[in-house]
Amino acid sequence: MTLPDPDRLTFGPRIERIAERLGGALFPWQRYFVTVATEQLEDGLGGLEPAYDTVGAAVTRRGGKTFMVKSTSVERGLRGRARIAFTAQTRDHARERWLEMADQVSTVSADKGLKQAMGGEVHVTSGNSNEMLTFRATGSQFFPFAPNAAAGHGGAYDLVFVDELWAHSLAVKQLIQQGYRPMWSVKPGQEWLLSAAGTKASGWLHDVRRRGRAAVLDPAARMAFIEFGIPDDIDVHSLTDEQLVKVTLEYHPRRGFGLRENYLMGELGELGRAGFLRAYANRDAEDDAGGILAPEIVQRQTAAERIPRGVQASVGVALDDARRETSVAIAWTNDAGHRIVESQTKPGVRWAAAYVAAMPGARNVAVVNTRNGRGFADELERIWAEAEDLVAVPVLRVSQADAVAAAGSWLASVEEDGTTFFAQSGHLTAALHSADLPVGGNWVSRDGEPITSLLAHTMAVWADEHAPAEATPSEFWVY
């Protein structure tokens, strides 16, 4: 978790008082976190702005996220005129959760909607597609929106909550954030990204967790982060049911605050181990997204040998259509007939042509001749034509039909023939779990996540299969 800065102004105590006014009390972790998350900095214009642009919370089920969102929203709405937006897995989920916070009738004070808890201080409109809670004193608005490209555009939002982050890929992340983040270039705003654990396809959650864990070690980070769950170094699969429940309770944010051991045991029986670990231990489900290759094949085809320096190798390139990343792979076949493929992946696409143009020992280069791939090939050939110190090699502009054949060839050489081996990488592992191969088609992403690492491996194998003969050194030296 991000550590507090005692020298900064924070609205945490105001949120605590509002929580009490709403009929509840923040748990210790909530009090701690709202204090950190709402720390402020001077904006240089005599005002204040959030110290953190992004607030991330990876918190297990029954941890208290909803009441924290409700209390924080009220504090921001009463502090001054603001637009406060909320979304979740789908628009229907967002509307349902918003209605709980805005207009829920309950005998439990903390569960009452703001309309019931605050009376005439707020006005609620709950018609479908016209939902809005308005704070009469300030004119602030609190409303749900759909998690898509169109819903968030055109609004100057001051505070945005995205719940159920596990349901969204990195592609959806970009669509949602394009609706509100550009406005914050000229005025301060803040996003809260909230979720329990997800699956291998939960791209946005994985991104927040990775960035958040790095941010807690960086005092200059603009992201506040907190994470609850059984630590990664505990082997949960070796625990009995009773031991698992006790360990889960030990690391749950509501330990000692009403969460019962018997309740967790019942949830374990209801959800099964995988579902329970995801909901209450903050462990991503391990069986929700099978990879394109069986684990035993991945293990068998992981290369023990690296491509030696100084050899000639074929190059495969794949550029993400959304320009998020590019992968470059090289393939080389040893004397035993084993093809080894290695790759690297970097953000963006503009770096690739210059990088490949200067690669030593390239025999040829393959790229699918569509969209960004065609632009890459054009730029690569232009660089070679203008540079006197670089040696051009054949560029295979692979057609869509040949790309389909290349995908099948790669899969057969790995899965059936066992002749293609690959150096494992995080990007390749993610691509193998995200990719699918439709009958008669090319690789596609099942969840919208980029799979350029796998596509580059496929192109490198195609290039290796269609490579010219290696140049033989001359017997004579020319002086």
Side-chain angles (χ1 to χ4, degrees), residues 412-435:
S413 69
V414 171
E415 194 171 41
E416 299 175 16
D417 304 337
T419 55
T420 293
F421 296 78
F422 42 78
Q424 275 284 30
S425 70
H427 288 95
L428 179 61
T429 299
L432 289 173
H433 282 288
S434 295

Side-chain angles (χ1 to χ4, degrees), residues 36-226:
V36 172
T38 60
E39 288 179 356
Q40 303 291 302
L41 297 173
E42 295 182 359
D43 63 4
L45 301 173
L48 297 171
E49 66 179 15
Y52 301 104
D53 303 318
T54 298
V55 175
V59 180
T60 53
R61 186 185 293 183
R62 309 302 301 174
K65 295 190 297 295
T66 300
F67 189 66
M68 182 174 66
V69 169
K70 183 163 66 172
S71 302
T72 302
S73 297
V74 172
E75 189 283 323
R76 184 64 187 90
L78 294 178
R79 191 195 321 159
R81 188 178 181 88
R83 284 171 56 82
I84 305 161
F86 178 89
T87 194
Q89 181 179 357
T90 63
R91 192 191 189 286
D92 287 343
H93 280 85
R95 182 178 188 274
E96 180 181 346
R97 298 291 297 281
W98 177 86
L99 278 172
E100 290 177 10
M101 293 184 281
D103 197 16
Q104 176 170 270
V105 177
S106 174
T107 58
V108 179
S109 297
D111 291 342
K112 288 181 179 179
L114 296 177
K115 180 177 180 180
Q116 287 70 39
M118 301 182 68
E121 293 184 68
V122 298
H123 173 73
V124 175
T125 301
S126 56
N128 200 0
S129 300
N130 190 33
E131 302 89 350
M132 183 72 69
L133 182 147
T134 304
F135 295 86
R136 297 184 188 275
T138 60
S140 294
Q141 299 173 325
F142 177 40
F143 52 90
F145 70 98
N148 57 40
H153 286 265
Y157 299 162
D158 299 279
L159 180 60
V160 176
F161 294 95
V162 183
D163 200 4
E164 297 177 339
L165 208 65
W166 62 266
H168 301 306
S169 68
L170 287 175
V172 174
K173 164 188 180 289
Q174 290 192 337
L175 296 177
I176 295 175
Q177 289 185 326
Q178 284 172 5
Y180 61 83
R181 285 193 67 92
M183 179 60 64
W184 294 346
S185 63
V186 294
K187 61 169 291 185
Q190 189 179 62
E191 61 180 353
W192 286 51
L193 309 177
L194 314 165
S195 189
T199 73
K200 293 182 178 71
S202 302
W204 197 352
L205 171 61
H206 299 161
D207 178 64
V208 167
R209 184 186 291 142
R210 175 184 56 79
R211 290 172 47 226
R213 290 179 177 182
V216 299
L217 304 174
D218 179 7
R222 295 282 295 183
M223 179 179 184
F225 183 69
I226 194 167

Side-chain angles (χ1 to χ4, degrees), residues 232-244:
D232 294 340
D233 57 0
I234 293 180
D235 181 9
V236 294
H237 302 296
S238 67
L239 303 177
T240 66
D241 287 354
E242 292 75 13
Q243 290 171 330
L244 176 58

Side-chain angles (χ1 to χ4, degrees), residues 238-305:
S238 67
L239 303 177
T240 66
D241 287 354
E242 292 75 13
Q243 290 171 330
L244 176 58
V245 166
K246 289 183 180 298
V247 172
T248 299
L249 190 59
E250 180 180 351
Y251 289 101
H252 197 279
R254 284 188 61 178
R255 180 185 63 177
F257 289 89
L259 190 64
R260 298 175 291 108
E261 187 173 332
N262 288 342
Y263 172 81
L264 289 179
M265 186 62 75
E267 288 287 271
L268 177 58
E270 182 73 21
L271 299 173
R273 280 226 162 194
F276 180 85
L277 287 168
R278 178 179 172 187
Y280 292 101
N282 220 1
R283 291 288 188 90
D284 288 342
E286 299 174 356
D287 57 351
D288 283 359
I292 195 70
L293 297 176
E296 58 271 18
I297 293 177
V298 172
Q299 183 177 6
R300 185 191 72 192
Q301 298 306 122
T302 297
E305 180 183 3

